[in-house]
C-alpha cells in the first residue's frame, strides 16, 4: 500500500534521511520511533509528498514520487489523513467547520458533509462541542478535533506526527484508544513518536529511526 | 457551492487587508481616471481631425475663356484622376451668389459683368487627404490646361495631426504607467491577504485542496479591486464630461462607449494582477 524504497532527503542544513526503506500494509499499526531530529517527520512528509526524495522513490497507492505530477498531489492527500503535534486547527472557525472544511475543499455535497462530520466527531467523542472554537478546548480535545478532521474523509492511511507529544498520560491513553478504534475499522495508522514507553504499551509494528537512518 | 465559498472567502480577505484594499482601489481609480482624461482628449482631437479631413478639398478655378464643352471635358479629366473621389462644378453664377452671401453686396451693382471664374471643387479619396498628398495632387491639377488657379487649405489639419500624435504618445506612456502601477498595488494587496492567511492555506494544502481551489478567492479579490477602480474612474470621467458640456456646450464630443472600456480595462488589470500575485506568492 505504502512503500519507501532507499529514500534520501537532504535539507540545506545537512539534516535529512538516507536509505530509508519501509512498507506499510493495509490495516497495520506502525510506530516510527526515534529521538527528536531523527527524521520521523521527514518520513511522514515523503508519504504525503510534501518532500520529494532526491534518491529512491515512494509509492502511495497508485501514486509514485517519480511520476506524480504536482497537480495530482492534492488527490493523493485526499486518500490520507494527517494529524500534527501542533494540531493545525483554524482558530477563526468552530469545531464543526474545522472538520467540514476538508469536505468542502473536495466539493462534497452539503447534506453529505453534515452527516460525515457528525459521525467523525462522534468517533472522537466531541459531538457536544461542535460549536466551540479551538481556543475554548483543552489540548487533548484539540487533538481529537485534529483526528476527526483526519478521518472524516475515510483515508486508508492515517499519519500522526507526535500526536501525544503535548498531552498528559491520561489524555494520551484516550487518544491511543481512538486510534485503535479507527484501526479496528481497517484504517492503517503510522504514528511517529519519541515516546518509547507509549510504544511498549500498545500493539503495533515498531520501526526505529536515528540520525536519518532506519535501525 | 465551491464558487459561493470562493466569493465568501474573497470578501473575508478584504477585511483582513482593508487599508491596502482601499489604497489599491483609490490608486487604480486615479490612474484609470488619468487614462480617461487623455483618452478623452485623444478622442476629441481625432474627431476634429475627421471633421477637417472630410473638408479637405482643392478648388480648381477654370480659365475664363473656356466654353461649356471645354469645361465639361476638364471635369472628366479631373474625375479620371486616381486620387479624386468626386468633382463638383460651381458655375460663375453660383460663385457670385456665394460671394453675395459672404459680403452682403450685390456684385453686379459695382461691376457690370461677373468677374468670378467658374470652378470645380475636387474632393480627394480618404487616403490622399494628407498635407503632402494634397500638395502633390494640387500640383498635378495646376498643370492641366484650362486650369487657371487652385486653392487648398491643410495647415490646421497638419497641426492637429501632429497634436494627435503627441496625445497618442502620452496615452501610450500613461497606459504603461497605469498597468504597471495597478499591477503593483493589486499584487501587494493580495500578497498581504495571502500572508494573513498563510496558516489556512497550508492546512488547505495538507488536506488536499487543489491550487485552483485555493487561489480562486484571490482571483476574485483582484477582479473586484480592478472593477471598482474602473467604475470609480468612469464615474469621475462621466462627471467631468457632463460638467464640461454644461459649461461649454458642444465643445466636447464624446463617445460614452469609452467609459465601458475603462471599466473593462480595470477588470482585466485586476484579473491579471491577481494571477501574477498567485503565481508569485501562493
Amino acid at each position: 500500500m505504502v512503500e519507501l524504497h532507499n529514500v534520501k532527503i537532504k535539507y540545506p542544513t545537512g539534516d535529512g534521511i538516507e536509505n530509508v526503506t519501509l512498507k506499510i500494509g493495509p490495516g497495520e499499526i506502525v510506530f516510527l520511533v526515534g529521538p527528536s531530529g531523527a527524521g520521523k517527520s521527514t518520513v511522514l512528509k515523503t508519504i504525503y509528498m510534501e518532500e520529494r526524495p532526491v534518491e529512491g522513490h515512494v509509492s502511495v497507492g497508485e501514486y509514485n514520487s517519480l511520476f506524480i505530477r504536482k497537480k495530482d498531489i492534492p488527490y493523493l492527500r485526499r486518500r490520507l489523513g494527517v494529524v500534527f503535534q501542533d494540531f493545525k486547527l483554524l482558530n477563526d472557525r468552530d469545531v464543526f467547520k474545522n472538520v467540514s472544511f476538508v469536505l468542502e475543499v473536495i466539493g462534497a455535497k452539503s447534506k453529505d458533509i453534515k452527516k460525515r462530520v457528525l459521525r467523525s466527531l462522534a468517533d472522537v467523542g466531541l459531538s457536544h462541542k461542535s460549536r466551540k472554537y479551538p481556543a475554548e478546548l483543552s489540548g487533548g480535545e484539540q487533538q481529537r478535533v485534529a483526528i476527526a478532521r483526519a478521518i472524516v474523509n475515510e483515508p486508508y492511511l492515517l499519519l500522526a506526527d507526535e500526536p501525544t507529544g503535548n498531552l498528559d498520560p491520561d489524555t494520551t491513553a484516550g487518544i491511543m484508544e481512538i486510534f485503535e478504534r479507527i484501526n479496528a475499522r481497517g484504517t492503517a495508522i503510522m504514528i511517529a513518536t519519541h515516546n518509547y514507553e507509549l510504544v511498549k504499551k500498545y500493539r503495533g509494528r515498531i520501526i526505529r529511526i536515528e540520525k536519518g537512518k532506519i535501525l | 457551492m465551491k464558487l459561493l465559498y470562493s466569493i465568501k472567502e474573497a470578501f473575508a480577505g478584504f477585511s483582513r487587508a482593508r487599508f491596502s484594499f482601499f489604497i489599491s482601489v483609490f490608486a487604480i481609480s486615479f490612474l484609470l481616471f488619468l487614462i480617461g482624461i487623455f483618452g478623452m482628449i485623444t478622442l476629441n482631437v481625432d474627431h476634429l481631425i475627421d471633421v477637417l479631413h472630410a473638408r479637405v478639398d482643392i478648388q480648381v478655378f477654370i480659365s475664363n475663356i473656356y466654353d461649356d464643352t471645354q469645361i465639361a471635358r476638364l471635369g472628366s479629366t479631373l474625375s479620371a484622376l486616381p486620387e479624386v473621389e468626386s468633382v463638383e462644378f460651381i458655375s460663375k453664377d453660383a460663385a457670385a451668389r456665394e460671394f453675395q452671401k459672404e459680403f452682403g453686396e450685390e456684385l453686379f451693382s459695382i461691376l457690370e459683368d461677373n468677374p468670378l471664374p467658374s470652378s470645380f471643387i475636387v474632393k480627394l479619396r480618404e487616403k490622399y487627404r494628407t498635407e503632402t498628398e494634397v500638395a502633390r495632387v494640387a500640383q498635378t491639377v495646376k498643370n492641366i490646361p484650362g486650369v487657371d488657379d487652385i486653392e487648398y487649405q491643410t495647415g490646421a489639419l497638419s497641426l492637429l495631426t501632429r497634436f494627435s500624435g503627441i496625445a497618442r504618445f502620452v496615452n501610450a506612456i500613461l497606459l504603461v504607467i497605469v498597468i504597471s502601477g495597478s499591477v503593483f498595488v493589486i499584487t501587494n494587496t493580495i500578497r498581504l491577504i495571502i500572508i494573513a492567511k498563510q496558516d489556512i492555506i497550508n492546512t488547505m494544502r495538507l488536506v488536499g485542496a487543489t491550487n485552483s481551489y485555493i487561489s480562486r478567492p484571490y482571483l476574485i479579490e483582484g477582479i473586484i479591486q480592478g472593477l471598482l477602480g474602473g467604475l470609480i474612474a468612469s464615474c469621475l470621467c462621466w462627471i467631468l464630461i457632463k460638467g464640461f458640456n454644461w459649461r461649454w456646450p458642444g465643445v466636447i464630443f464624446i463617445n460614452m462607449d469609452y467609459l465601458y472600456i475603462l471599466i473593462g480595462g480595470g477588470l482585466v488589470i485586476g484579473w491579471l494582477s491577481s494571477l501574477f500575485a498567485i503565481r508569485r506568492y501562493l
Side-chain angles (χ1 to χ4, degrees), chain B residues 187-206:
Chain B
T187 304
N188 194 49
T189 309
I190 292 176
R191 183 180 68 92
L192 290 177
I193 297 172
I194 290 176
I195 289 170
K197 291 172 70 169
Q198 204 58 61
D199 281 352
I200 178 170
I201 291 169
N202 284 341
T203 309
M204 282 171 108
R205 284 227 166 88
L206 290 173

Side-chain angles (χ1 to χ4, degrees), chain A residues 32 39-45 48 81-88 143 158-166 179 189-194:
Chain A
L32 184 64
K40 304 185 294 289
S41 298
T42 308
V43 170
L44 298 190
K45 281 180 183 168
Y48 60 84
V82 188
V83 178
F84 302 92
Q85 183 176 8
D86 60 354
F87 320 133
K88 292 204 192 303
Q143 188 59 293
L158 185 69
L159 300 169
D161 194 359
E162 297 280 7
T164 59
N166 293 327
F179 281 143
I189 301 183
M190 180 178 223
I191 300 170
T193 180
H194 64 268

Side-chain angles (χ1 to χ4, degrees), chain A residues 3 5 46 49 51-53 56-73 76:
Chain A
E3 192 175 344
H5 188 79
T46 57
M49 302 214 183
E51 297 290 350
R52 306 278 281 271
H57 62 91
V58 183
S59 68
V60 181
E62 75 246 50
Y63 300 102
N64 188 300
S65 63
L66 294 174
F67 312 112
I68 193 167
R69 286 170 301 180
K70 215 176 162 197
K71 67 182 176 73
D72 287 330
I73 292 178
L76 155 85

Side-chain angles (χ1 to χ4, degrees), chain B residues 212-249:
Chain B
S212 68
Y213 181 83
I214 296 173
S215 56
R216 208 174 303 137
Y218 307 110
L219 216 53
I220 294 173
E221 268 155 20
I223 289 174
I224 290 173
Q225 287 176 65
L227 199 61
L228 271 180
L231 271 171
I232 294 173
S234 62
C235 282
L236 290 175
C237 282
W238 186 81
I239 291 169
L240 191 76
I241 292 163
K242 286 284 162 191
F244 209 90
N245 271 341
W246 173 76
R247 183 74 184 75
W248 296 284

